[in-house]
Amino acid sequence: MSGFSDCSKNTIPVFCEAQVENCTSVKEAFPSGSVFSLTIKFAAQENSVPSPGQFFMLRAKHSQVLLARPISVFNAIPDTRMGYIKVEFLILKKGQGTRELCSLQKGDFLELLGPCGNVFPSPDKNEKVCIAGGGIGIAPVAGFAKNLPPKSYDFYASFKSGSYGIENVSPENLVVTTDDGSCGIRGMISAALTAQVLKEKKYSIVYACGPEPMLRYIQKICAEAGTKCFLSLESKMACGMGACLGCTIKTKSGLKRCCKDGPVFEASEIIFDEKEFAKAKPPLEKVDLSVKIFSHSSHGTSGAKKELFLKNPVIAASGTFGFGAEYKNIFDVASLGAIASKGLTLEAREGNSGVRIWETPSGLMNSIGLQNPGIPHFIREEFPAMKKIGTSVIANLSGSTAESYEEGARLLEETEVDAIELNISCPNVSKGGAAFGMTCEDASGITRRIREIVSKPLIVKLTPQASDVAAVAMSCVAAGADAISLCNSFQGVAIDIEKARPVFEKIKAGFGGPAVRPIALRLVYEVFSEMKKLPQEKRVPIIGIGGIATWRDAAEFIMAGASAVQVGTATFANPFVMIQIVEGLEEFMKRKGYASVEEMRGAAV
């Protein structure tokens, strides 16, 4: 599709496919592989050429993310004789969307919307120009500088380490700063550019782009020096067209859209939010990933409390990992914090008939129906093999009646399982399961009855279907729960459009996977907030469950109040995911200075 302009000759964005000309790691950027140069070409007319300061919304053709990513133009090379335009971008590999863009190969296709946004206003002929770029923010200001006459400006480039993106600039003076001193002046941009420097060099206008702390600083020194300044800002965007109103920037004239009214704003108009950022902690060489859950019951133990020890906070979720032996030839299962067994009932069950699993976008529906060999068989056959694995074993206990729960608990109490997870949340059975977890009365009642039987740590697994999950959780704590795990699968419905009928025989089925993560995280946050209202000695740990697929997800749950997490659906897609989560959490904690899981727990609440 060709670009076109309106009657005012303003560039109108177009949506089209673009082909990758080149995608390579920028060698001068550190750490290695963190920044990529992506050059694309697409069919266009002369008036589709982006102006300095504009950006494009880019999304890999076969992407796992919903939204395109806004990427500033670094260099535009029109070739209207050949009927296309080339555009070069500098991309910081950060999340899934940018990782996909950085993984593109020559000849691949991506989706493109743009050019979007406003432009850097050109300086007057006699103005003395100062341009400042920080990190990946170097791209738009370097692209702008390239269009100015050589030696008509000074350029300040600031990086954490190394330098890149300045090969096309031709300033009168080039000043580079790096946090580690690997290039130029050691320090941040404040080591080279101050209000005093602005005055001494008699800069009349400043253009800048970079991380928010740097832009705050530039705004401040320009105000002190009385220097006109334009800042290129960034914000999370959905549409890039000004329609969704999701990328607003606070200004003295009210909220402005970063994508449509910006991204370039006059600095004096910007109101930066005064946020309190956590004080940076020094990195650590070693951290403690272990978690302990104690039993508050001394039943049958002569006053001694029993303990569930987790070498790390990652647990294989019940119903998704069998009994552990299924995966022992794939990876070292003993390296997990614990394994929660398949849901166990007193009697053996064959489970539900008909379709049992159904994939959905970002999730998986299931209607297994608690198929299991029964608790006596588990104790005799499956449990000995689980115990030999070398990590903690949690027996997931379910039932149809209170009496069947009690009898199952008595049998498990006599074994060496490390803890019992009371499942009052299974959505795929006609009797029992979630029926016991819908109200405070029912949930606390069954918890109290099982508490009277077992001395092992008792974890109560809750359903998200309850009208007030936090209230149900607190009632279970009052009834003797040693920990709360939440949440089990959500309920959903799937329709087979070819057969014009529901997919599952029971109509409703459990739904899990990444799609439910924000809701599950909310429930953990709310329960932890209620837990904090109790005296310290009455609080119990929370185990977060729901769509956890990366170490970042796990960190979110821990910062929302979870002491540990269970991983389920993600294992089906990647059997190594739990090991990767453990490793990622450890590196994150070292980098951020969290000495233990307990120190990180609830940091965001």
Side-chain angles (χ1 to χ4, degrees):
M1 181 184 295
S2 297
F4 53 91
S5 297
D6 62 16
C7 296
S8 302
K9 302 299 181 182
N10 293 319
T11 304
I12 304 297
V14 295
F15 180 74
C16 63
E17 283 191 354
Q19 190 171 27
V20 175
E21 282 278 290
N22 186 46
C23 186
T24 57
S25 175
V26 176
K27 295 180 180 179
E28 297 81 8
F30 294 97
S32 179
S34 60
V35 177
F36 280 71
S37 168
L38 172 66
T39 301
I40 63 172
K41 69 176 182 180
F42 61 97
Q45 296 177 355
E46 185 176 357
N47 49 24
S48 287
V49 179
S51 298
Q54 291 189 299
F55 64 93
F56 283 84
M57 302 294 290
L58 303 181
R59 180 175 178 270
K61 183 67 176 176
H62 302 288
S63 176
Q64 296 182 26
V65 299
L66 173 66
L67 302 176
R69 300 302 192 249
I71 308 293
S72 296
V73 173
F74 175 55
N75 193 19
I77 312 165
D79 192 342
T80 53
R81 295 176 304 161
M82 301 298 292
Y84 63 80
I85 178 175
K86 289 185 180 181
V87 182
E88 182 182 1
F89 305 92
L90 294 181
I91 302 177
L92 175 65
K93 187 165 66 172
K94 191 174 182 181
Q96 178 65 24
T98 52
R99 283 199 300 270
E100 291 176 353
L101 293 173
C102 293
S103 298
L104 293 172
Q105 303 293 319
K106 179 178 175 63
D108 287 345
F109 286 91
L110 52 78
E111 295 172 343
L112 170 151
L113 176 66
C116 302
N118 63 7
V119 302
F120 287 111
S122 298
D124 292 338
K125 186 176 181 180
N126 296 322
E127 285 188 307
K128 188 168 184 182
V129 177
C130 170
I131 299 175
I136 201 66
I138 205 77
V141 288
F144 172 59
K146 180 177 175 289
N147 289 271
L148 297 178
K151 300 189 181 299
S152 65
Y153 57 91
D154 287 348
F155 199 101
Y156 293 78
S158 181
F159 305 93
K160 287 186 177 180
S161 182
S163 65
Y164 57 89
I166 52 179
E167 60 272 13
N168 294 327
V169 301
S170 302
E172 177 71 20
N173 296 291
L174 173 63
V175 181
V176 176
T177 72
T178 51
D179 289 359
D180 62 1
S182 55
C183 291
I185 300 171
R186 186 184 186 91
M188 296 182 288
I189 198 166
S190 55
L193 189 60
T194 64
Q196 186 62 31
V197 170
L198 291 175
K199 294 176 183 177
E200 290 176 355
K201 292 187 173 289
K202 298 181 180 179
Y203 293 127
S204 50
I205 189 167
V206 174
Y207 300 90
C209 183
E212 185 175 314
M214 170 188 156
L215 297 185
R216 287 169 177 260
Y217 173 75
I218 295 295
Q219 181 195 54
K220 177 177 176 292
I221 63 172
C222 285
E224 292 177 6
T227 306
K228 185 167 54 175
C229 178
F230 291 92
L231 304 177
S232 179
L233 306 184
E234 66 173 14
S235 179
K236 293 187 181 298
M237 297 180 185
C239 68
M241 301 291 289
C244 73
L245 305 179
C247 64
T248 52
I249 300 293
K250 189 182 293 186
T251 76
K252 293 178 181 177
S253 302
L255 295 179
K256 298 291 184 180
R257 300 163 298 179
C258 189
C259 67
K260 193 73 172 180
D261 303 310
V264 179
F265 295 90
E266 191 167 350
S268 61
E269 286 295 305
I270 302 299
I271 301 175
F272 287 110
D273 290 335
E274 295 299 326
K275 300 176 183 177
E276 291 186 14
F277 295 97
K279 291 183 178 179
K281 300 179 180 180
L284 302 172
E285 292 185 3
K286 188 176 181 180
V287 295
D288 181 9
L289 290 173
S290 67
V291 175
K292 295 180 181 179
I293 298 176
F294 293 98
S295 172
H296 289 79
S297 170
S298 59
H299 172 76
T301 60
S302 302
K305 292 184 178 181
K306 294 188 177 181
E307 168 193 300
L308 169 63
F309 174 78
L310 308 177
K311 63 189 72 174
N312 60 65
V314 179
I315 303 169
S318 172
T320 65
F321 207 67
F323 297 104
E326 291 85 344
Y327 282 92
K328 69 178 183 180
N329 292 326
I330 302 296
F331 69 92
D332 181 14
V333 179
S335 62
L336 298 177
I339 301 170
S341 75
K342 182 75 183 72
L344 299 167
T345 53
L346 185 61
E347 73 290 349
R349 290 191 181 186
E350 292 187 354
N352 294 334
S353 57
V355 175
R356 287 189 169 196
I357 59 171
W358 190 263
E359 188 176 3
T360 71
S362 295
L364 184 70
M365 300 184 72
N366 80 87
S367 183
I368 308 302
L370 282 177
Q371 177 179 336
N372 75 96
I375 292 175
H377 189 281
F378 166 76
I379 294 173
R380 189 173 60 252
E381 302 293 338
E382 286 81 13
F383 174 63
M386 288 187 76
K387 195 65 178 174
K388 289 180 180 178
I389 288 174
T391 191
S392 297
V393 176
I394 302 172
N396 183 276
L397 169 65
S398 191
S400 301
T401 64
E403 289 73 22
S404 66
Y405 271 107
E406 290 177 321
E407 183 57 29
R410 288 189 183 95
L411 294 175
L412 292 170
E413 171 69 7
E414 298 304 315
T415 71
E416 294 183 359
V417 297
D418 298 287
I420 294 175
E421 184 175 52
L422 180 60
N423 184 345
I424 53 173
S425 51
C426 180
N428 295 321
V429 291
S430 300
K431 296 180 180 180
F436 283 99
M438 297 299 287
T439 68
C440 294
E441 182 179 6
D442 290 339
S444 63
I446 190 66
T447 300
R448 188 171 289 106
R449 293 175 72 161
I450 302 304
R451 175 78 287 169
E452 292 175 355
I453 295 170
V454 301
S455 61
K456 299 178 185 296
L458 180 62
I459 305 163
V460 181
K461 188 172 186 177
L462 300 183
T463 171
Q465 307 304 130
S467 60
D468 189 341
V469 174
V472 171
M474 301 313 293
S475 73
C476 292
V477 172
D482 298 310
I484 298 295
S485 60
L486 68 138
C487 56
N488 207 323
S489 300
F490 292 72
Q491 278 196 331
V493 173
I495 301 295
D496 186 330
I497 62 172
E498 297 298 330
K499 298 177 181 179
R501 68 187 188 196
V503 168
F504 299 102
E505 287 192 7
K506 291 184 177 294
I507 314 299
K508 298 177 183 179
F511 175 49
V516 308
R517 185 173 61 248
I519 308 173
L521 185 65
R522 171 181 62 84
L523 295 176
V524 169
Y525 191 100
E526 290 175 350
V527 171
F528 182 73
S529 297
E530 287 300 308
M531 198 79 70
K532 288 179 66 176
K533 297 177 183 178
L534 296 177
Q536 183 69 42
E537 67 274 9
K538 293 186 177 182
R539 300 175 190 176
V540 304
I542 298 169
I543 301 173
I545 317 169
I548 297 169
T550 70
W551 67 263
R552 290 179 178 275
D553 302 337
E556 280 194 68
F557 274 81
I558 294 171
M559 287 185 170
S563 295
V565 297
Q566 291 188 18
V567 179
T569 304
T571 300
F572 302 145
N574 175 13
F576 299 109
V577 68
M578 286 187 280
I579 301 301
Q580 293 168 355
I581 289 173
V582 173
E583 293 172 348
L585 272 177
E586 183 175 15
E587 289 306 311
F588 173 74
M589 290 170 62
K590 288 178 179 179
R591 175 167 60 87
K592 299 294 288 186
Y594 291 112
S596 66
V597 173
E598 179 63 24
E599 186 177 322
M600 183 167 62
R601 182 174 64 93
V605 183

